[in-house]
Amino acid sequence: MHDSRKPLSRSPSPAAPARSFLLMVVRAPLTRRAWREVAYCLLAFPLGLVGGVVLTVLLALGAGLTVSLLGAVVGVLILVTGVRLARALGGVHRRMASAFLGERLPPLEPPQAGTGLFGRLDAGLRDGAGWRTVSYVLVKLPVSALGMYAVLWWLTGLVNVTAPLRWAVFGQQPGPGDEDGMPVLTPVPAGGLAVDTFAGTFGALALGVVLLLLAPWPTRLVVGADRWLLHALLGTSQLADRVRDLEETRALAVDDSVALLRRVERDLHDGAQVRLVAVAMSLDMIKERLGPPGTEDGATPSGDGASIDLVRVRQLVDGAHRNATEALTELRDLARGLHPPALDDGLPDALATLAARSSIPVELTTDVPRRPTPAIETIAYFCAAELLTNVIKHSGATQAILTVDECHDGMLRLQVVDDGRGGATIGAGSGLTGLVQRVRPVDGRLTVHSPEGGPTTAVVELPMHA
């Protein structure tokens, strides 16, 4: 007999979060990340100390000479030298962060090249990326000092853990007249602890274990602040990122327009133009068959004395009509590829027509209270068409869901979900790469989530105005 009762679901134990937290705390000192951060703090301290001090001296000396009349040029030269030194030190810090922290920072903008001595000095003083590197090197001095203080937690913990061994083996117990006892180290620079019995060393050992369990967190806090400074000061500026992105999107837009013109030219040359040439040739042959002007219709010989072959003339007329019809169809398809006529009534109606023509069932939901600009509507329509084509050709899905709505942040979101086999990735030759290039010129984005076995969710986000 089948028991249809569902088993009761067990609620998670209240002690589960506490157990997970305890395991995390115990494992933290043993992780590779913790030791990498310790090594980074140890190596960054001498570099930060020397670099910060030398750069501070150069900037102070250069600024002091600049305000004087006679030493202005020398002062500017020293300032520019300091900026170049900061760039070199910044490069070393970037490589260290890459090696120990896994930070991959984009390269800094190269300094501008001036002409002549004064031109080079002026370009050096206007080096925005160089001055951001100067800021990092100067701020790195106190940050590296904090990093060494974080390493001090590890050192004091390791020393205290060895307290029983140092007492029993190395003879560090206090002498008969020594009232201070064996010192116990702490990272707090206030007060002091000491033990005067062997049993007390186990208390020092327990304190060392606690310090080792706590040590990864000060280190991680300092390294986290350093990571933020690396991205803020040694990474590219937001303006430079925006300029680079605009340059890339402009290149994509130009390439897309050139490709579109070539496709239109190829379609006209290989399709409609050939059909129209065939129509013209058929009309010329019909004209020859009918004879010169003035000949009676179908009753008298043609110009060369032969009777008119009406069957052949009819075949030529049928061929010309067929070619003209096919040319009109190709021109209509070409015009639809440039701007779908269904978009004249708005994006929801155009998508409804697109969903109705699909070979698999498509559930359409639209909620677009504001109409986007024509360019955005065209991009959204072609994105929906390409995504549905991918679903039909590659996914093996039996149905799809197409949703279009306006997000709270003012973006137009187009989402296609299918129940296919999944495994779709951008750049795998499935047309998704072309969609990325289509939406980038208008600051749009495409995201695809397609695990093996499905389902696949593709989301296109576009601004409402191009």
Side-chain angles (χ1 to χ4, degrees), residues 271-293:
Q273 181 176 342
V274 175
R275 305 291 184 189
L276 294 176
V277 169
V279 170
M281 294 177 62
S282 298
L283 293 177
D284 287 339
M285 296 175 66
I286 293 172
K287 182 179 179 181
E288 292 178 359
R289 292 285 180 177
L290 293 177

Side-chain angles (χ1 to χ4, degrees), residues 118-206:
F118 291 99
R120 288 193 294 270
L121 292 178
D122 181 69
L125 289 177
R126 296 177 182 272
D127 186 6
W131 284 107
R132 285 192 286 114
T133 311
V134 169
S135 302
Y136 177 80
V137 175
L138 294 179
V139 176
K140 182 67 175 179
L141 178 58
V143 172
S144 60
L146 290 175
M148 281 303 299
Y149 175 71
V151 174
L152 184 62
W153 286 69
W154 293 88
L155 296 177
T156 54
L158 290 174
V159 171
N160 290 333
V161 165
T162 62
L165 181 65
R166 289 186 288 115
W167 180 290
V169 178
F170 296 100
Q172 293 188 4
Q173 65 270 28
D178 191 357
E179 299 179 357
D180 295 334
M182 188 177 72
V184 178
L185 303 180
T186 64
V188 180
L193 299 176
V195 294
D196 52 7
T197 62
F198 181 70
T201 60
F202 289 95
L205 185 148

